[in-house]
Amino acid sequence: MNNVSLVGRLTRDPELKYTANNVANATFSIAVNRRFKNAQGEREADFINCVIWRQQAENLANWLRKGMQVSIVGSIQTRNYENNEGRRVYVTEVLVDNFQSLERRDASQEMQQQVNNGMQQQGSYNPNQGYNNNQGQNFARDPLAGQGMEINPDDLPF
């Protein structure tokens, strides 16, 4: 059995391409937090390369952007090719069957606009911690950010 389910954040905008037969495909990678912390008490992440095809590829490329949280379901595939130097290159990636954005699109656009409008001067945004108002308080992104609820990432079950 070859099933993969992942939740993570896009590390870059999806790259949408079309084959010679006009079949859409998008490549992207997601950062998936590990379950444990390292010796320094920090949570590490794995960066997983993914590919998605056809209408799903167009939908993903049109709706998701770097930093957005996404859930994907698919399978692991491996392929290889010969590079320009004549060396065999092996690639392992997730072939995505289905995806779901875990954020409202308008919330992520609103966040991006706030950052672009100079919100970083008043505080900073970290995708793993939410907004920091430079007074030591971290606020969750959505929907609790407007209510000022403090959340410690160590208290989360994941």
Side-chain angles (χ1 to χ4, degrees), residues 62-81:
N62 289 330
W63 287 93
L64 299 182
R65 295 287 172 255
K66 177 182 176 178
M68 293 181 72
Q69 192 172 40
V70 64
S71 167
I72 64 169
V73 175
S75 58
I76 293 181
Q77 82 175 8
T78 58
R79 59 185 172 86
N80 63 73
Y81 63 92

Side-chain angles (χ1 to χ4, degrees), residues 109-122:
Q109 287 176 338
E110 184 177 302
M111 176 190 69
Q112 187 63 41
Q113 287 174 351
Q114 289 173 346
V115 170
N116 290 342
N117 290 335
M119 181 144 183
Q120 64 270 29
Q121 294 173 357
Q122 300 169 1

Side-chain angles (χ1 to χ4, degrees), residues 96-107:
V96 178
D97 296 325
N98 197 4
F99 76 93
Q100 182 172 358
S101 175
L102 299 179
E103 298 181 22
R104 292 188 339 255
R105 184 174 180 184
D106 58 341

Side-chain angles (χ1 to χ4, degrees), residues 4 14 21 26 31 78 80 92-93 110 113 115 118 132 137-138 154:
V4 176
N21 295 331
T78 58
N80 63 73
T92 301
E93 58 198 358
E110 184 177 302
Q113 287 174 351
V115 170
N132 181 325
Q137 295 175 320
N138 286 331
D154 293 332

